[in-house]
Amino acid sequence: MHNHNHELDIEELAIPASSRTRRTRMTERHRRLVRETILSPSNFILPLFVAEAPENFRKPIDAMPGVEQLGMEGILSQSESALKAGLGGIILFGIPEHKDEFGSEAYNDKGVIQNAVREIKKRFPELLVATDVCLCEYTDHGHCGVVERNKNGEIEIVNDATVELLVREALSHAEAGSDLIAPSDMMDGRVGAIRDALDQSGFESLPIMSYSAKYASGLYGPFRDAAGSTPTFGDRRSHQMDVANSDEAMRVVQRDIEEGADIVMVKPAISSLDIIRRVCEQFLVPVAAYQVSGEYSMIKAAGKNGWIDEERVMMESLTSIKRAGASTILTYFALDAARICSRDL
């Protein structure tokens, strides 16, 4: 029963028509009509781990459900799936049989990545194949470059000697047929050195996607298990960026662009959305973001435990990365996300 003594005067409380923003949220057909950020399969690049192993080799990564180290058979199968799903491409990370102090398998013309690129491009020439250029997966100490003791007796990664080896690696990838060279090491000057070497070797049209703002994050742990690249001593804070710094990221991005980077990358994605936005607003270049292994694993683990709706959170996280400004997203969810994007069209 209503108490008429306390009836509200609806006319007095009338909300102005201009304030009624809910009208375009009321149904899915209205929400789709005004949706500002649209994900497409072509936004995604799928990371793949290529093992120098028998063709049918498969090794699941415990911390990354659904992700495996793969021999050539699995790599070709995933490449075909990526192509059929309309992905932007794939990026390859190598797991060599042999490692040494200087990561020599990284720039071996018959190395695991070089062989994989040739096979993929032979079978699927229209698929974009990007290649990670770094030494950490190939060195026996797990660091991203040449390690020496300085005059104080401290172990450090030597910048310029490392860059020389990265240039050799990038050239070997180019000669194998890579469509996109992606240096991830964070050494100073490596973009310019790689650009010069590519140009002088007849690869003037081959673009570089530089890991420009790569933070020293705790979210890389599962990847290091997957790629066998965990350092045997120390950490990577001497060359990866301090997570507390934002202006420094802008300086590094600007330097990489000036040295010839065609695409700049921010990594990790979710904890760097502010950096993605700043880069997009400050520089008129394509911006990529890497939804890294730890981000993937957290969503998978919480989903498995029933704490979150895995599919919904996956798409929400990817949408937020694109909303921040990234046009390209490297993600282990690429195939699942592409399927959902296609379904929802």
Side-chain angles (χ1 to χ4, degrees), residues 177-192:
S178 174
D179 295 305
L180 185 60
I181 299 296
S184 63
D185 55 281
M186 289 297 284
M187 295 296 119
D188 290 334
R190 92 277 206 213
V191 172

Side-chain angles (χ1 to χ4, degrees), residues 56-128:
N56 61 353
F57 176 84
R58 306 181 83 94
K59 181 184 177 184
I61 310 304
D62 291 342
M64 300 176 70
V67 178
E68 299 174 300
Q69 295 178 359
L70 296 168
M72 192 55 63
E73 187 179 283
I75 290 297
L76 290 172
S77 174
Q78 287 288 85
S79 297
E80 184 175 18
S81 296
L83 188 61
K84 287 181 176 177
L87 297 189
I90 61 174
I91 185 167
L92 302 179
F93 297 90
I95 303 162
E97 194 173 349
H98 172 72
K99 301 188 180 194
D100 60 31
E101 183 182 357
F102 298 102
S104 59
E105 285 299 305
Y107 38 91
N108 178 354
D109 290 340
K110 295 183 179 179
V112 59
I113 288 295
Q114 292 81 351
N115 288 338
V117 172
R118 281 189 288 267
E119 286 298 313
I120 294 167
K121 296 304 292 184
K122 190 187 304 179
R123 290 277 296 275
F124 311 109
E126 60 272 48
L127 177 66
L128 183 139

